[in-house]
Amino acid sequence: MQPETLVRDHTVYACVMGSRAFGLATDTSDTDRRGVFLAPTPLFWRFEKPPTHVEGPGEEQFSWELERFCELALRGNPNILECLHSPLVEHLDDVGRELLSLRGAFLSRRAYDTFTRYALGQRRKLDADVRTTGAPRWKHAMHLLRLLMSARDLLRTGELRIDVGDRRGALLAVKRGEVPWTEVEAWMARLGAETEQALHGTPLPAEPDHTRVADFLYRVRRGSALQTYAYHEVVQGVVGGGGVGQG
């Protein structure tokens, strides 16, 4: 089965991410699409396994196989967790609905480490830009601020919200280069300190709910296998003359 077919015929959840989901879109913003597909269980019985992710087939489109998506979410991957909380859902079937109902099971204090580690990586890139060109990439600076806000608020409340709301104007001013880099640096430092402080009183559990997610995956894989088996039984019955609808 071609990767594009998996995305086209077996997607369980699809959403828009990036600036449009964050409430930071402008007239020139791209539309980044992300999705989750469920590879039919019999594909895993072959030596060549189905892909863990697929880029495309559309522009700015990327999808993960369900198991890989859940693995990354359990690790607290920021991009994956935010994908689960997009306000712009484009496709959802029964499996996708159950996946979204598990959003809370993926959240834990691990988010502090993963979000902070990702933020530090982005900050190093910004510092390198400043050293090389005298200025950061302002769009990247804006998104780093947004990520730090998201991490802080997640640890404070136990809920992940990705739309920036009334902070849109201030963040877009950073994107336009209207805020001096020294002020942006101070803002980042303040958010980092607030995030660390929030960790000490966070309502998030120490670990995600692995058991609940594992049960979900087992049921979905088993259901896919049974569905395939039932389909082949019907086809063989028709071809063999045993016949659907024959007495």
Side-chain angles (χ1 to χ4, degrees), residues 128-194:
D129 289 336
V130 173
R131 288 194 301 269
T132 303
T133 67
R137 298 182 186 181
W138 293 109
K139 179 179 178 180
H140 293 180
M142 174 192 72
H143 281 298
L144 177 51
L145 287 167
R146 183 208 62 78
L147 179 75
L148 289 169
M149 291 176 182
S150 182
R152 179 200 61 189
D153 294 345
L154 168 61
L155 289 164
R156 282 178 173 175
T157 67
E159 298 181 2
L160 182 58
R161 300 181 184 275
I162 68 173
D163 191 301
V164 300
D166 59 7
R167 295 171 287 194
R168 170 183 165 87
L171 289 169
L172 287 178
V174 172
K175 180 183 179 181
R176 293 190 297 266
E178 297 172 358
V179 183
W181 175 237
T182 53
E183 290 186 24
V184 174
E185 283 186 303
W187 192 357
M188 290 177 179
R190 185 167 64 253
L191 287 170
E194 291 171 353

Side-chain angles (χ1 to χ4, degrees), residues 1 3 9 24 54 64 76 79 90 100 111 156 160 165 172 178 186 194 196 203-204 223 226 240 245:
M1 186 176 294
D9 297 342
L24 292 169
V54 176
W64 296 268
N79 291 324
E90 293 191 321
L100 290 190
R156 282 178 173 175
L160 182 58
L172 287 178
E178 297 172 358
E194 291 171 353
E196 184 176 1
L204 290 174
L226 291 174

